[in-house]
Amino acid sequence: AQIAKSAAVSTRTLFNHFPTKEALFDHMVDIVIKQTGAITSAPYDPSLPVRDQLIAALRDYISAITDDAYMRLNRMVMSEYLRDQELAHRIFAHAEMNTNPLRGIIEAAIAANVLKDVDPQYATDLLSGPAIRLFFWPQFLVGTEVSQDAQTVYEDSVDMFLARFEKKAY
C-alpha cells in the first residue's frame, strides 16, 4: 500500500504489474543489483599510480552507495532480508552484491604484477571496509553523516591496503 501511494497509483494498478508481493520485491531487488553493478570508475591504467586510481574508485563507490535514492531502496530491501533469511540467501546466491569498481582495478593491478597475488574479492572487502563502516552504515542505520573527512579516510584506507598488498620494486 505504501509503495502504491508513493507511486501515486492504486494498489490494484500496482498488482496488475506485479501479481504478488514477492514479484514486486524481486523487481526492487533487481533495481538495487543493477544500481550496484552500474557503479563505475575509470578502468585500471598501468601508466597512472595505482594509489590514485584506488582512491578515486573508493570515492566513486562510497558516493554511489550513500546516494539518498540508493539508500532508501537499500533500506527497504535490507528490511526484507532481515525478515526472511531464505530470501536473503536466494538473492545473494544469484547476484554478485559485491560489485564494486575497486575490484576491477585490483584484479587488473594483480594481473599487471603491481599488487601481490590475493583473492580480489577479499582485497576489495578489506579496502572498502573502513569507508563503508564510516560512511554507509551510520547513514543507513540512523540517517546521520559522519563528520570524518572523507578524503582522509580514502587515502588512509588505500595507504594501509597498499602497505600490505603492493609489490615493492627492489
Side-chain angles (χ1 to χ4, degrees):
Q2 289 177 328
I3 293 169
K5 183 178 178 182
S6 294
V9 298
S10 70
T11 306
R12 174 174 277 173
T13 299
L14 184 66
F15 283 108
N16 283 338
H17 293 283
F18 303 99
T20 64
K21 287 182 182 180
E22 290 77 18
L24 174 60
F25 182 75
D26 286 346
H27 180 72
M28 294 171 89
V29 168
D30 286 342
I31 292 170
V32 171
I33 291 168
K34 286 176 185 169
Q35 286 182 348
T36 303
I39 299 170
T40 60
S41 195
Y44 176 71
D45 182 344
S47 70
L48 298 174
V50 69
R51 179 182 187 271
D52 296 346
Q53 295 178 72
L54 290 171
I55 290 169
L58 183 56
R59 181 189 60 240
D60 292 348
Y61 179 65
I62 296 300
S63 176
I65 68 169
T66 56
D67 173 76
D68 285 338
Y70 181 82
M71 192 66 66
R72 282 192 305 274
L73 188 56
N74 230 336
R75 280 187 190 106
M76 187 282 308
V77 170
M78 287 281 204
S79 68
E80 288 298 312
Y81 287 163
L82 294 173
R83 188 184 63 74
D84 185 347
Q85 285 192 329
E86 185 177 310
L87 173 67
H89 287 288
R90 182 176 58 104
I91 298 303
F92 277 95
H94 103 272
E96 290 190 60
M97 294 300 285
N98 292 321
T99 348
N100 180 323
L102 291 165
R103 184 173 172 158
I105 292 172
I106 289 170
E107 287 174 336
I110 291 169
N113 210 26
V114 173
L115 296 177
K116 294 176 183 176
D117 190 16
V118 61
D119 175 60
Q121 188 57 55
Y122 172 72
T124 300
D125 291 344
L126 284 179
L127 177 53
S128 59
I132 291 170
R133 159 57 186 91
L134 288 169
F135 300 114
F136 175 81
W137 286 111
Q139 188 174 343
F140 180 84
L141 294 173
V142 292
T144 61
E145 293 185 21
V146 176
S147 61
Q148 184 71 38
D149 176 56
Q151 187 64 26
T152 300
V153 171
Y154 303 150
E155 290 174 5
D156 288 349
S157 296
V158 169
D159 289 343
M160 287 188 293
F161 174 82
L162 290 175
R164 171 69 175 91
F165 294 111
E166 186 175 31
K167 285 191 172 182
K168 305 293 182 197
Y170 295 101

